[in-house]
Amino acid sequence: MSFLAGLRERQPDKQQNLQLSYRLSIDCVSRSLFLQLHLRNEQDLRQSTSGKRYKLQREHLVRPPAFLSTVDQVILRELSGADECWFDCDGASFPGLVTWSLLKTMLETERCYLATASDQWQRLRVGHTRSVEPFWSIKPSIEYQLCWRIVNAENTDSVVFLANDVLHLSAIDSGLAIGPTESQARNSGAPLHALIPLLRLSSSFPLSLPYSQREDFSEEDKERWRNWNIPMPQAVTSVTVEAQLKPILYCVSEREGSRDVDKIVLQFSLCSERYCSLPASNPTVLAYWDGEQLNELSGEQREIEHHKTKIADCLTPFVKSDKTQSVWLPKSEKNWQLLFGELRPSIAALDVSFSFAPSFRHHYVMVQHWLVAISEHESKGLNVSIEMHSSDGHIDLSELLAQLKAFNLHAKDEHLNIPLADGRILLVSANEMCNLMEELEGLDVSSEGFHIEPSQRHRLAQLQEQLPSGTKWSGKVEYLDDAIALHNSPVVLDRNLDCVDAELRSYQWLGVSWVRHLKQHGCNGLLADDMGLGKTIQALTLLAFEKQQGELKKPALIIVPLSLVHNWVAEIKRFVSQLSVKVIHGQKRHYDWKGLARYDILITTYNLAAIDLLRWQSQDLSWLILDEAQNIKNPKTRFSQAMREIPSDNRLCLSGTPVENHLGELWSIISFLMPGSLGTLKDFKTQFQKPIEQEGNSRRMQQLLARVAPFMLRRTKDQIAQDLPAKTEISQLIPLYEDQREFYEQLKRDTWQDLQAKTNGDEKAGKNHIAALTALLKLRQVCCDPALFPDMDIPSAKRDYCVEMIEELVAENRAVLVFSQFTKMLDILEETLEEKNIASLVLTGKSRNRQDIVDAFQRGDAAVFLISLKAGGTGLNLTRADTVIHYDPWWNSAAEKQASDRAHRIGQDKPVFVYKLIAEDTIEEKIAQLQAQKSILSDHVDNQALLNAESFAFKFEELLTLWEDE
């Protein structure tokens, strides 16, 4: 014998360990016995598991397997003999023809078990004989039921079930026992099951008798019932109970022939305090058994007719299918929306309920009220759960997001029909849902609701505005209160506080109070007043106030462009001399670094702040204030990234132009002040920038303005016109000289041919855009003065016009500012004015003594101030001038406006005239037209209002239109 064969011989035969087990269960309704066959081993017995099912096979009765004992074979032969369904079957009802002796044999194997409710196996054993007797019980539905009970039973949990005879199952000590029964209802030894057909009742068990047939049943064959010792069903006490008639509109969809018919059926139910009948078309008398007496409910026919009339009056969009029946059909499918929308409240007022068949296709539900629950998240953010409650339950908004995204929320439909998982259709206002979904866009969603980051808690106020006024709020509602308070107007500080050497105007005090208001709510802000409205004095007043209140315990760092350092120091000495100031500039700026904490104000430049970033990160600061904050408009620049990494208790940005070129610049400033409040830059571009700038989406614009409203305060000169003299803008068209026109047209043709060649080639879009701007630059220079080209001796119509205009203004003792993008043009004008004996000063980006030049003009050393647009766009106070000339138009009207505001600002006491010189029938005229279009978005962002959004940035295709002839 091989080794493997010997090893197999020594292995125990698993089949020899298997045993046939009999598992019994009792149907709780029919009280019939059910038997299952299982094969189990010792491990199954220890763990009380079922093992595997066994199906009886005919060949097993001929050649029995090892797991079938002789007794098992006898049991299986008797089972299959009584009912052949047992072959190839592992379980069935216990055959009614099987005798008690067979069941007793099963119990004696000690492998007969009872299946309990918890699916456990409990061994059964043989019990002793018990006596049973029949009795009549009454069901709540007023039916008599013939049941069997054990005579003088001690255990009320005992169960009597019917097999062949009546058998008894009862609990004895720690085990279970099944025993035979003998009936006191028997006659002449007849088996109990023989009584069933004799009683002429149901052939099933238990036997039932309607209450209405009780008397007839009792009168028939009284002697027979007495001989069999069967009790008669007894009459019971009845009482009349006050009941209310409840009308119900049953909505159902049924198949009639080849079509589906949707209809309303009026039904009624009788209801008392303890019972409510099933709906019926015409209920008259109903009754129920409460265990002690019969309760009869009654409804009057007049009341039924009254309800029918009232309900018919409400269902006017429906027609009756039959005059004699209360069944209505819709005139059109839209009437179902009308029913569950407008008509349902009036129907509900009649105390009418609705009931719906599972097949009904138009089960619309309307939102009755909204519930919002606020809870704290472990990340210090908030979870906001939003539920819509209707008469049929509640619906979590987060579960509908996928469906809502599939809808066109901007469609003209008044309502949205949203299918729910349970077959209902949610009917909601399209406009309300659109506004709400736009407000929730960008928030993460989980099973706990919508997640709001700490920097976006203020959005709760906008969320409340988008929800219906009756919305119920629960949970951490203090966060909602704080968000609403943040949006409220600030409490204005006491103007009598002696903290600044100046008489602030009302709007300036409001600006200071607004920054304080933000600080109290843990927020930072952007003060974006127009140029010349005193943002500097407002910031200094804020610091002086905090110094007076004992709050300025750490220095405030103010970061400014280099050209404005001197201006800030001068303003501090003039208005808040009680505040100590230190300028961090120059090669020796680090020598006194350890002593910076003793100063109230520290001033440095953007460039040096980025260089000294590590030092500033270790310096305690109360405030980080950015002047001309558009310097961080590009979040990828070194300046912008460094500013974000400087820690401070509070932050404040000052900028008259928070948006110069595109909305991404606004995101950069706001994200510096309140990181995360506008989401990531990628999300911002998707949610706001692209829809507004490229698609002209005014809804998105309004949503963005509402989002930044708490953190941005802007007042324009128009809003505070009473504090400033008038400003008049005049656009002057100047025709070119003939030689200048020929030069211009030739250059226009040449540049157009060159652009066409680049466009048709393999050049990338970015290079095409640059090529177009370069070509336009040359055309603009021709419009200004052909002398801007080397060796070109052609007179300039615009230069002659401008010089003549200056001569007249100087003769009228006016002070004039002349702005140009081209510094060489300023040089040409300076030479021309010198020939005319007109004194002038020049300020460009190369000017080193900037403040000295400005002071010279303010003193009256020259009547004309020639300024490059970039150098004079910010930080200058030139209130001596009352006339501004823009020699050449610039792409961005905001830059021109800043330049004009050098003269039109607080401190100016004369009307200001602004002249724009534009070469007629040239690209300058078209630039002015495009400039007006592009200024719309910037102006509306500044004013926090927008009627319609326009594309903001110049596209290559738009630039090409400048070459087109009218």
Side-chain angles (χ1 to χ4, degrees), residues 14 167 189 401 463 473 564 601 667 701 707 738 749 771 868 941:
K14 290 188 177 180
L167 304 171
L401 291 183
L463 179 60
W473 293 74
L564 299 185
I601 298 177
W667 177 91
M701 188 69 216
R707 190 73 60 82
E738 185 175 348
R749 288 191 293 271
S868 67
V941 169

Side-chain angles (χ1 to χ4, degrees), residues 9-10 63 153 214 296 315 542 787 817 899 938:
E9 189 177 70
R10 290 193 296 271
R63 289 185 291 274
R214 182 191 62 80
E296 294 185 349
L315 295 176
L542 170 71
L817 305 180
S938 178

Side-chain angles (χ1 to χ4, degrees), residues 41-95:
N41 54 33
E42 292 180 0
Q43 183 177 359
D44 295 329
L45 291 171
R46 289 193 301 267
Q47 298 179 357
S48 189
T49 55
S50 61
K52 62 179 181 179
R53 298 282 187 91
Y54 168 67
K55 291 184 178 181
L56 175 59
Q57 302 174 37
R58 292 180 186 271
E59 58 267 25
H60 284 183
L61 297 181
V62 179
R63 289 185 291 274
F67 54 77
L68 289 183
S69 68
T70 303
V71 175
D72 293 328
Q73 297 172 39
V74 172
I75 295 172
L76 294 177
R77 283 194 180 93
E78 191 165 346
L79 280 175
S80 57
D83 192 340
E84 286 201 354
C85 77
W86 275 97
F87 287 118
D88 292 323
C89 179
D90 58 17
S93 296
F94 208 92

Side-chain angles (χ1 to χ4, degrees), residues 125-173:
R125 58 190 180 83
V126 178
H128 56 82
T129 302
R130 288 296 188 94
S131 295
V132 296
E133 62 182 1
F135 74 100
W136 293 96
S137 68
I138 303 178
K139 296 195 291 186
S141 56
I142 320 302
E143 279 186 316
Y144 287 92
Q145 182 178 37
L146 183 60
C147 301
W148 305 92
R149 62 190 173 198
I150 298 173
V151 179
N152 300 324
E154 297 178 358
N155 192 336
T156 57
D157 293 330
S158 299
V159 178
V160 175
F161 59 90
L162 187 66
N164 177 40
D165 254 332
V166 174
L167 304 171
H168 166 233
L169 174 66
S170 61
I172 301 177
D173 299 330

Side-chain angles (χ1 to χ4, degrees), residues 486-742:
L486 174 64
H487 284 73
N488 291 338
S489 299
V491 177
V492 180
L493 299 175
D494 185 359
R495 296 186 62 174
N496 294 322
L497 293 174
D498 186 19
C499 60
V500 60
D501 296 329
E503 185 67 31
L504 267 66
R505 289 171 169 80
S506 298
Y507 76 89
Q508 292 173 327
W509 269 111
L510 180 61
V512 178
S513 304
W514 174 76
V515 179
R516 290 281 300 176
H517 174 75
L518 290 183
K519 180 181 176 181
Q520 291 169 359
H521 289 277
C523 299
N524 302 312
L526 164 63
L527 185 56
D529 287 344
D530 257 352
M531 292 294 178
L533 295 188
K535 293 186 292 295
T536 301
I537 189 63
Q538 293 178 63
L540 293 178
T541 301
L542 170 71
L543 298 179
F545 174 81
E546 293 202 348
K547 176 73 172 182
Q548 186 185 69
Q549 301 298 312
E551 299 177 15
L552 195 66
K553 297 180 180 180
K554 292 181 284 187
L557 174 61
I558 303 176
I559 301 178
V560 303
L562 176 60
S563 59
L564 299 185
V565 172
H566 180 273
N567 182 68
W568 270 90
V569 173
E571 297 283 279
I572 292 171
K573 292 180 178 178
R574 179 181 177 187
F575 298 116
V576 288
S577 56
Q578 72 273 26
L579 299 181
S580 56
V581 59
K582 175 70 175 178
V583 176
I584 313 300
H585 192 264
Q587 295 181 351
K588 298 181 180 181
R589 64 185 183 277
H590 298 152
Y591 289 176
D592 298 327
W593 203 277
K594 292 182 180 179
L596 295 184
R598 67 176 182 269
Y599 293 97
D600 298 317
I601 298 177
L602 306 174
I603 299 177
T604 191
T605 65
Y606 283 94
N607 183 52
L608 292 180
I611 294 173
D612 299 336
L613 177 60
L614 292 178
R615 293 180 179 270
W616 288 119
Q617 286 179 328
S618 61
Q619 178 68 48
D620 288 338
L621 299 172
S622 60
W623 285 89
L624 175 59
I625 300 176
L626 305 187
D627 189 23
E628 304 297 345
Q630 63 271 18
N631 280 278
I632 63 166
K633 63 186 178 184
N634 185 350
K636 296 181 180 179
T637 62
R638 181 171 61 98
F639 289 170
S640 182
Q641 293 174 355
M643 298 308 104
R644 297 169 194 276
E645 296 178 20
I646 299 177
S648 63
D649 296 340
N650 308 281
R651 290 180 174 182
L652 176 64
C653 284
L654 310 177
S655 175
T657 55
V659 177
E660 290 185 308
N661 302 300
H662 56 77
L663 289 174
E665 297 171 356
L666 179 65
W667 177 91
S668 183
I669 296 176
I670 297 297
S671 65
F672 162 78
L673 293 166
M674 298 292 295
S677 61
L678 292 179
T680 65
L681 180 57
K682 180 180 178 181
D683 293 339
F684 179 82
K685 288 180 177 179
T686 302
Q687 188 174 354
F688 295 112
Q689 190 170 352
K690 181 181 177 181
I692 294 171
E693 295 180 0
Q694 298 182 20
E695 302 168 9
N697 191 325
S698 60
R699 292 175 64 93
R700 289 292 192 190
M701 188 69 216
Q702 293 166 358
Q703 186 184 358
L704 173 60
L705 295 174
R707 190 73 60 82
V708 301
F711 314 119
M712 185 172 80
L713 179 64
R714 176 166 179 81
R715 280 77 58 90
T716 64
K717 291 189 175 70
D718 294 336
Q719 292 172 311
I720 55 168
Q722 69 276 13
D723 292 319
L724 285 172
K727 180 175 72 172
T728 304
E729 294 187 358
I730 302 171
S731 294
Q732 184 64 52
L733 293 178
I734 303 169
L736 299 181
Y737 291 150
E738 185 175 348
D739 291 347
Q740 188 179 8
R741 169 64 64 182
E742 291 178 1

Side-chain angles (χ1 to χ4, degrees), residues 1-13:
M1 180 184 297
S2 68
F3 169 77
L4 289 177
L7 183 62
R8 281 194 294 269
E9 189 177 70
R10 290 193 296 271
Q11 290 291 328
D13 187 349

